[in-house]
Amino acid sequence: MSIEAATVQDTYEKMLTKLERLVPAAELRIKAELVYEINRLKKERGALILGHNYMEPALFHTVPDMVGDSLGLSREAANTDKDIIIFCGVRFMAETAKILNPGKTVLLPAKEAGCSLAASITVDDVLKLKEAFPGAPVVTYINTYADVKAVTDICCTSSNAQKVIESLDDEVILFLPDQFLARNVANECGLPITIASRNTDGDINVDKNFTKGLVGWAGTCEVHEQFTVSDIDNVRRQFPDVTVLTHPESPPEVVAASDYSNSTTKMVSYVQESPLKGPFLILTECSMGDNIIAENPDKEILRLCSVRCPHMNQITLEDTLRALTHNEQLIEVPEETRVKALSSVERMLEIS
Ligand code: 13P
Ligand code: SF4
């Protein structure tokens, strides 16, 4: 057996040990070749691979140098000394890495890996809201594109949103664009909330007499908006001792019906650190449930796999290899936009 064949075999055996309950062996054998080649090329090119918690298990457990949530991966992107960053996640995440690293090559393996939240709001919407509430600070979720970050005072992620809001002492704060995250944060901070939206003429509908609390935006995550209280009730009927974990992009009544709600990494840590064996219902993108199963073979994990993120799911090992081989898809952010967006991202990183 050649050295290469032996290393592919070794890669396959490691993948099998970790993933045999989740991925058929025949598929792992094919994927092991891709993993071997990605890791070889990554070393040769001096690249860093970042992987979001929603990546499929055969990718998540094999090629990233670092895995995590939006905040953790932004921190990693800010600190790397590698010249090439491959972001196995969605476009706004890769853009954030580019905002922090203008001189580096940042690659996103799939061109169409977007996000319904990032697509829900434009610069024009933000400027109109600023006009309606002069002087109010703009906090935007990291799930926005660079041009929107450029008209933002400070970014936040699901793990630090409350901290960011509590760092501001203004009476009215624009908190965009996820209406459910905004409602959940308003509940945590004990603040009133109103939700603005764009009408068919492109104008903004908002209560201009609102004088205290959060002004949210009518954006939603196309995945988390679909979970319902009856999903939770059904699972509790079948598994009365289940612990339910949700993401704060879910509707407030779903968060209220669950036992814990936080960022993806905090959900992972919650299961890992819990003295309970389960069952745990992971009410978010199904792949993350798979990844928790692989890391915690002694725990019972439940997930609802009928609701998937079509954007995160576009990132495959094949695309990652292509990105690394051909420098595809190159992420660029115009310098003027980048400089303005950088201050909102840096302000968030300082607070967290
Ligand atoms: P996290 O920052 O919690 O990983 O969330 C990112 C995301 O897109 C969740 O849908
Ligand atoms: Fe965007 Fe929702 Fe997909 Fe996360 S899960 S990337 S918020 S569409």
Side-chain angles (χ1 to χ4, degrees):
M1 200 188 272
S2 67
I3 294 176
E4 185 182 317
T7 320
V8 172
Q9 178 65 21
D10 186 47
T11 303
Y12 165 71
E13 280 164 17
K14 284 191 186 128
M15 289 171 74
L16 191 65
T17 307
K18 184 151 248 172
L19 303 172
E20 66 184 337
R21 292 186 307 146
L22 296 162
V23 188
E27 193 178 323
L28 288 178
R29 203 165 263 294
I30 297 166
K31 289 190 170 175
E33 291 187 18
L34 290 163
V35 168
Y36 166 80
E37 190 51 21
I38 291 168
N39 284 334
R40 189 194 65 72
L41 210 53
K42 176 176 77 171
K43 208 163 158 195
E44 187 181 292
R45 299 202 63 198
L48 173 81
I49 300 188
L50 299 177
H52 187 262
N53 289 324
Y54 289 167
M55 292 297 103
E56 60 111 351
L59 187 157
F60 182 86
H61 293 279
T62 54
V63 297
D65 299 286
M66 157 86 188
V67 292
D69 61 6
S70 308
L71 180 62
L73 296 177
S74 303
R75 280 210 193 98
E76 199 65 20
N79 293 330
T80 185
D81 56 2
K82 297 278 171 62
D83 290 329
I84 302 172
I85 301 171
I86 320 277
F87 215 118
C88 292
V90 290
R91 177 166 291 267
F92 74 81
M93 296 178 176
E95 273 192 4
T96 306
K98 184 66 182 179
I99 289 166
L100 289 158
N101 294 287
K104 297 187 185 201
T105 300
V106 178
L107 305 170
L108 178 69
K111 192 175 173 192
E112 305 301 332
C115 170
S116 65
L117 281 171
S120 74
I121 193 159
T122 65
V123 170
D124 191 46
D125 298 328
V126 181
L127 297 181
K128 284 178 178 153
L129 285 168
K130 281 180 159 191
E131 215 175 286
F133 296 95
V138 182
V139 178
T140 57
Y141 195 27
I142 198 149
N143 298 38
T144 47
Y145 291 121
D147 56 349
V148 166
K149 287 189 175 80
V151 288
T152 291
D153 294 295
I154 178 163
C155 284
C156 72
T157 72
S158 53
S159 69
N160 60 19
Q162 187 178 353
K163 207 167 175 183
V164 167
I165 293 299
E166 287 173 351
S167 74
L168 304 167
D169 52 14
D170 304 73
E171 289 291 294
V172 173
I173 298 168
L174 305 180
F175 185 91
L176 317 169
D178 184 349
Q179 60 169 299
F180 294 137
L181 181 68
R183 289 183 198 277
N184 288 320
V185 172
N187 284 344
E188 281 166 16
C189 299
L191 289 170
I193 179 160
T194 188
I195 301 293
S197 60
R198 187 193 316 121
N199 65 27
T200 44
D201 297 329
D203 295 327
I204 300 295
N205 291 327
V206 67
D207 174 6
K208 290 191 179 147
N209 297 320
F210 186 78
T211 53
K212 184 168 171 51
L214 302 187
V215 178
W217 180 250
T220 53
C221 160
E222 65 189 276
V223 177
H224 294 97
E225 70 174 344
Q226 294 189 56
F227 296 123
T228 64
V229 174
S230 78
D231 289 333
I232 296 180
D233 289 345
N234 288 337
V235 175
R236 286 201 196 277
R237 255 192 300 279
Q238 191 182 352
F239 303 92
D241 54 348
V242 69
T243 304
V244 181
L245 289 82
T246 57
H247 196 275
E249 291 167 7
S250 297
E253 64 275 16
V254 172
V255 169
S258 62
D259 299 292
Y260 182 75
S261 177
N262 216 315
S263 80
T264 55
T265 288
K266 290 200 173 153
M267 290 161 90
V268 172
S269 308
Y270 183 97
V271 174
Q272 253 154 11
E273 288 159 20
S274 170
L276 302 173
K277 290 278 178 231
F280 297 94
L281 171 64
I282 311 297
L283 211 54
T284 189
E285 160 57 39
C286 181
S287 290
M288 195 174 99
D290 287 348
N291 293 331
I292 297 177
I293 292 171
E295 289 292 351
N296 301 273
D298 58 326
K299 304 221 169 175
E300 189 186 351
I301 307 295
L302 309 170
R303 62 253 195 261
L304 300 185
C305 293
S306 52
V307 185
R308 308 298 307 263
C309 175
H311 310 288
M312 291 282 186
N313 277 289
Q314 288 195 29
I315 309 293
T316 61
L317 285 166
E318 286 84 348
D319 287 335
T320 305
L321 180 56
R322 197 169 36 245
L324 198 51
T325 310
H326 301 294
N327 266 6
E328 285 176 1
Q329 312 285 327
L330 202 54
I331 297 294
E332 299 288 7
V333 177
E335 186 58 9
E336 200 184 332
T337 305
R338 189 195 71 79
V339 171
K340 289 185 189 152
L342 180 64
S343 82
S344 64
V345 175
E346 282 186 334
R347 214 171 139 191
M348 172 191 80
L349 292 174
E350 274 160 31
I351 288 185
S352 1

